[in-house]
Amino acid sequence: MWPFTSSKSLIKSDIFENMVDCHCHILPEADSGVQSADEFKKIIKEYKRLGIKEVWITPDISDSSPNTPEYLNDLFQRVIEATHKDKKTGDIQIDIHLSSVNIIDDSFINRLESGLFIPFGKDKNKILISTNYTERPRRLSESIKEILKAGYEPVMVSPERYFYMQSKDYIKAHEELGLKLMLSLPSLVGLYGPEAKRRAKIILESDNYSYFGTDNHGIHKFYAALTEYKVDNKHINKLKEIRDSIVL
């Protein structure tokens, strides 16, 4: 067998070494992600094994979600305290932070003006945003402008999954509106379907991603993304470039 391969699974790459996971749903009871403290602890242990150095937990806040910053901060403090008290996980040295993915819906601008969000980044100067996957929000451009006006940098999570957008839209949003883009790794390996994978490759190859995250919704889905799918080496190298440039 030829000793060199053009692709490999994520777990066989070293992409996670010193990585910042910028997007995951591992806060128990917060949304459709991890639902128990035990699973949270298992994931944190796995992150440590993989070499991940920093984690940003990013539950959704939207019209249809009961989440508020106060509620999420309370959940976060409780799970962090429980993890530190656990003899099996208490010695894990990973920086863990809380932010929120803020859905662009009819109430987004009101939530922005009322401070009902949790900023992203250690300087608290970024806001993670997401939208419906198939239908362009009526106030998307206005919402992005309002974020900038409020002094924040908008970061769109999983743009490759928004099928109402075209390639020129990603470039325009990135260059003209100051919108940063964040890849969800499951898109790149095909877990969100062939179209999301195709779009992820296009955006990655055009150097329009500034961040990426595991979009981890649970230990079993996470292992599937790590082990069951392969990624081209050229895309792994692009990911490493992004990983090494992220400063939060």
Side-chain angles (χ1 to χ4, degrees):
M1 182 179 292
W2 186 251
F4 302 104
T5 59
S6 60
S7 63
K8 58 173 69 75
S9 64
L10 289 175
I11 202 166
K12 290 185 177 179
S13 72
D14 60 356
I15 188 63
F16 298 104
E17 188 66 32
N18 290 318
M19 173 187 144
V20 178
D21 185 0
C22 294
H23 173 214
C24 63
H25 295 265
I26 64 173
L27 182 61
E29 303 178 33
D31 52 23
S32 61
V34 169
Q35 295 301 307
S36 73
D38 285 342
E39 186 176 4
F40 174 86
K41 294 172 185 177
K42 288 178 182 178
I43 289 171
I44 294 300
K45 288 183 70 175
E46 182 63 14
Y47 278 7
K48 172 67 180 292
R49 187 182 73 83
L50 290 170
I52 293 174
K53 66 177 182 179
E54 188 175 330
V55 181
W56 285 83
I57 303 175
T58 54
D60 292 341
I61 293 180
S62 70
D63 274 347
S64 58
S65 168
N67 289 335
T68 64
E70 292 78 13
Y71 175 68
L72 294 175
N73 274 300
D74 182 62
L75 291 179
F76 180 71
Q77 291 303 322
R78 279 191 277 156
V79 75
I80 293 300
E81 288 173 8
T83 302
H84 285 323
K85 291 178 181 178
D86 191 308
K87 292 181 180 179
K88 294 180 180 179
T89 57
D91 62 341
I92 293 177
Q93 299 301 313
I94 295 179
D95 289 335
I96 306 176
H97 311 276
L98 179 67
S99 183
S100 62
V101 173
N102 306 280
I103 310 301
I104 304 296
D105 51 29
D106 289 342
S107 299
F108 170 77
I109 292 179
N110 288 335
R111 293 197 304 273
L112 175 66
E113 293 173 346
S114 301
L116 296 177
F117 60 91
I118 304 175
F120 177 66
K122 292 179 181 176
D123 291 333
K124 299 182 178 181
N125 62 342
K126 303 173 179 64
I127 294 180
L128 302 181
I129 60 172
S130 181
T131 81
N132 182 285
Y133 296 131
T134 58
E135 184 177 354
R136 184 183 180 89
R138 291 179 298 170
R139 305 177 73 181
L140 178 58
S141 296
E142 180 184 356
S143 297
I144 292 171
K145 290 176 182 178
E146 288 299 318
I147 291 171
L148 292 166
K149 183 179 177 181
Y152 294 95
E153 179 180 83
V155 180
M156 178 175 276
V157 175
S158 307
E160 68 279 352
R161 299 182 70 188
Y162 308 145
F163 294 164
Y164 61 83
M165 296 184 77
Q166 304 299 320
S167 296
K168 59 180 174 38
D169 295 322
Y170 299 124
I171 296 171
K172 179 180 179 181
H174 188 267
E175 295 180 352
E176 295 183 18
L177 295 178
L179 179 69
K180 303 294 186 182
L181 305 179
M182 182 186 295
L183 167 69
S184 287
L185 284 179
S187 296
L188 187 63
V189 302
L191 273 176
Y192 294 145
E195 180 60 16
K197 181 177 181 178
R198 184 187 73 83
R199 288 164 175 262
K201 289 181 177 181
I202 290 173
I203 303 171
L204 188 61
E205 290 170 6
S206 64
D207 297 320
N208 278 309
Y209 283 123
S210 298
Y211 307 94
F212 67 90
T214 64
D215 196 13
N216 187 346
H217 277 73
I219 192 72
H220 298 298
K221 292 179 181 179
F222 183 51
Y223 275 128
L226 289 180
T227 62
E228 296 180 14
Y229 304 85
K230 290 189 175 182
V231 178
D232 292 345
N233 286 338
K234 65 178 181 179
H235 295 136
I236 289 174
N237 289 334
K238 286 282 188 182
L239 290 174
K240 289 179 180 178
E241 292 176 9
I242 299 171
R243 176 199 64 188
D244 294 342
S245 68
I246 292 175
V247 178
L248 292 173

